Amino acid sequence: MTTTAPQPTLFNALAEVLPAGQLITGEKTGAYLRDQSDSTAAGVPFAVALPVNTEQVAAVVAFAAAHRIPIVPQGARTGLAGGANAIEGSIVLSTTRLNKIVSVDAEDQTATVQAGVRTYALARAAAAVGLFYPPDPGSWKGSTVGGNVATNAGGMLCVKYGVTGNFVRQLTVVLADGSIVRTGQRTIKGVTGYDLTALLVGSEGTLGIITEITVGLLPAPAPASGVSATFAGTEAALAAAALIVASNRRPSILEYLDGPSITAINAFDPESKLPADAAALLLVQSDQAGQAHDDVEEYAAILRAEGATEVLVAHDPAQLDQLMTARRLLQPALQAARGSSLNEDITVPRSQLQALLTGLAEISRDLSIPIGTGGHLGDGNLHPMIGFDAANPAEIEAANEAFARVIRLAISLGGSASGEHGIGLLKQAHLDDELGPILRDLQRRVKAAFDPDSLLNPGKKL
């Protein structure tokens, strides 16, 4: 990696803002260049700052504003759209040392955490007092709560509980000039002024830097029961899924894997032991108190009636955990299968899922590029992953063309370019297709109101 030596005077001034142990320069900044996206651009930062509280974040941002230095906020860099990639000459502001669970309030059913707390740690802290934090992105053991808020991350429980933004009550945010504000309320209801909390959720660090989050919690669900089923064709799998969603037995999880995804996961981790030679696999769970067992038996009956070739009912937590672990391997497994991948997270109305899968197969055939698809079938948010060899220019070109066509397909079906991974760098070229020029201009004006000098994660999101 080639680095640009920081200006000594400027760096000395920054060193007065943060202790020496909380600043990184030179070769060591290489660990902070990018997220997990394969093909997005990244520059060499001026420095990496590692603050431990909101006040230190504010001091760094005020320093950057005074010297007109771009700031790139980063969490654990588990993103897939380039939203956390460093910009040449920027200050990368890592939130990973903002890792305190401030409080878990069993009476009010809320938790307040710093932005760098891992999603899994928040879930465990809630469970310790008999409560439940539902958002569970596939990277929940590595991703941070602040990063989840920045992209409005989803997960496998969205079909029943919703996405991260549905649980955010209050945010502590450092604005572009270094001022500190708190948006929202700890209460369940609160409609004073515009809903700036909702605006900041999903803003990918372009409007402010989130340092602390208060979320609502739920009573702990019942122990889950689940069922997996394989199908010889996607039509039967989708028909079964539609019947399950339409029933009065709402699943807590309804996930999908296609044949290439199953093959890739088994190759990546032979312990997964997913049924081979299937065109589609459904994973369905219920955590409804008093009826999870009966729900799953009903799901199994629907799956068999719709032609499932193999149905496995699991009331044992260890069996369920094995299936969930395998499902969480979708992204690394498909990436490993080809060496590199472009990762989609498109959404469509559930009624358009078959048209989406048919279109994906056509794109794959037309361009001779592999596309493996899995994801959250219950809410129409799928993750087509386009595999390619990064050493082969023809495959790179085909992969990029496939990526664009997949997004256009989703939008043409009434869907969206992104359900939970964000826009970052990867999907900006497709925003006009979905939003149009008037909404794009309105969003740029919102950005200018929050960040008139465009120093907060410039070039991302919009």
Side-chain angles (χ1 to χ4, degrees), residues 23 46 125 161 181 199 203 209 221-222 272 285 306 330 332 366 392 396 420 426:
L23 286 174
F46 165 67
Y161 295 104
V181 296
L199 182 60
S203 63
I209 297 177
S272 296
Q285 289 191 21
E306 292 302 310
L330 174 65
D366 288 351
N392 185 327
I396 295 173
E420 58 186 5
L426 201 57

Side-chain angles (χ1 to χ4, degrees), residues 119 132-141 153-164 250-257 265 281-287 320-331 374-383 420-421:
T119 316
F132 177 45
Y133 180 65
D136 67 332
S139 59
W140 74 321
K141 288 191 176 180
M156 282 170 266
L157 291 165
C158 290
V159 62
K160 181 175 181 179
Y161 295 104
V163 296
T164 298
R250 187 71 172 183
S252 55
I253 288 173
L254 177 48
E255 294 291 300
Y256 169 83
L257 294 171
I265 290 170
L281 180 146
L282 296 182
L283 172 60
V284 196
Q285 289 191 21
S286 171
D287 62 4
L320 288 174
D321 185 64
Q322 183 179 11
L323 287 170
M324 291 296 288
T325 298
R327 163 60 187 86
R328 292 183 191 278
L329 293 176
L330 174 65
Q331 190 267 333
H376 318 304
L377 197 69
D379 56 27
N381 178 200
L382 292 185
H383 300 308
E420 58 186 5
H421 292 170

Side-chain angles (χ1 to χ4, degrees), residues 76-340:
R77 302 184 304 281
T78 59
L80 295 169
N85 285 15
I87 296 169
E88 188 73 26
S90 65
I91 296 175
V92 167
L93 197 150
S94 171
T95 62
T96 53
R97 294 192 187 180
L98 293 159
N99 56 13
K100 293 179 182 177
I101 296 176
V102 178
S103 65
V104 179
D105 189 324
E107 183 176 5
D108 284 338
Q109 296 186 342
T110 62
T112 299
V113 301
Q114 289 185 314
V117 168
R118 306 286 169 151
T119 316
Y120 182 69
L122 170 56
R124 292 192 64 180
V129 296
L131 296 174
F132 177 45
Y133 180 65
D136 67 332
S139 59
W140 74 321
K141 288 191 176 180
S143 66
T144 63
V145 179
N148 294 168
V149 173
T151 61
N152 199 11
M156 282 170 266
L157 291 165
C158 290
V159 62
K160 181 175 181 179
Y161 295 104
V163 296
T164 298
N166 296 118
F167 294 86
V168 175
R169 299 273 185 87
Q170 199 168 46
L171 297 173
T172 300
V173 182
V174 176
L175 299 179
D177 63 356
S179 58
I180 301 169
V181 296
R182 180 170 288 169
T183 71
Q185 299 83 17
R186 291 179 62 86
T187 53
I188 295 171
K189 294 180 178 179
V191 293
T192 305
Y194 295 119
D195 191 351
L196 297 182
T197 302
L199 182 60
L200 287 158
V201 172
S203 63
E204 300 184 44
T206 61
L207 303 181
I209 297 177
I210 296 165
T211 62
E212 194 170 283
I213 304 106
T214 296
V215 297
L217 304 173
L218 298 176
S225 289
V227 57
S228 66
T230 55
F231 291 84
T234 59
E235 293 87 348
L238 293 180
L243 289 172
I244 289 171
V245 171
S247 75
N248 61 359
R249 298 178 181 272
R250 187 71 172 183
S252 55
I253 288 173
L254 177 48
E255 294 291 300
Y256 169 83
L257 294 171
D258 69 0
S261 300
I262 294 168
T263 300
I265 290 170
N266 282 336
F268 186 77
D269 179 13
E271 293 300 313
S272 296
K273 299 177 181 177
L274 295 177
D277 302 322
L281 180 146
L282 296 182
L283 172 60
V284 196
Q285 289 191 21
S286 171
D287 62 4
Q288 189 66 34
Q291 68 179 62
H293 185 285
D294 291 344
D295 284 350
V296 167
E297 294 297 336
E298 180 65 22
Y299 300 157
I302 292 171
L303 294 164
R304 292 188 183 100
E306 292 302 310
T309 54
E310 182 176 339
V311 177
L312 173 63
V313 173
H315 300 301
D316 175 70
Q319 287 179 294
L320 288 174
D321 185 64
Q322 183 179 11
L323 287 170
M324 291 296 288
T325 298
R327 163 60 187 86
R328 292 183 191 278
L329 293 176
L330 174 65
Q331 190 267 333
L334 283 169
Q335 191 172 49
R338 294 290 290 179
S340 295

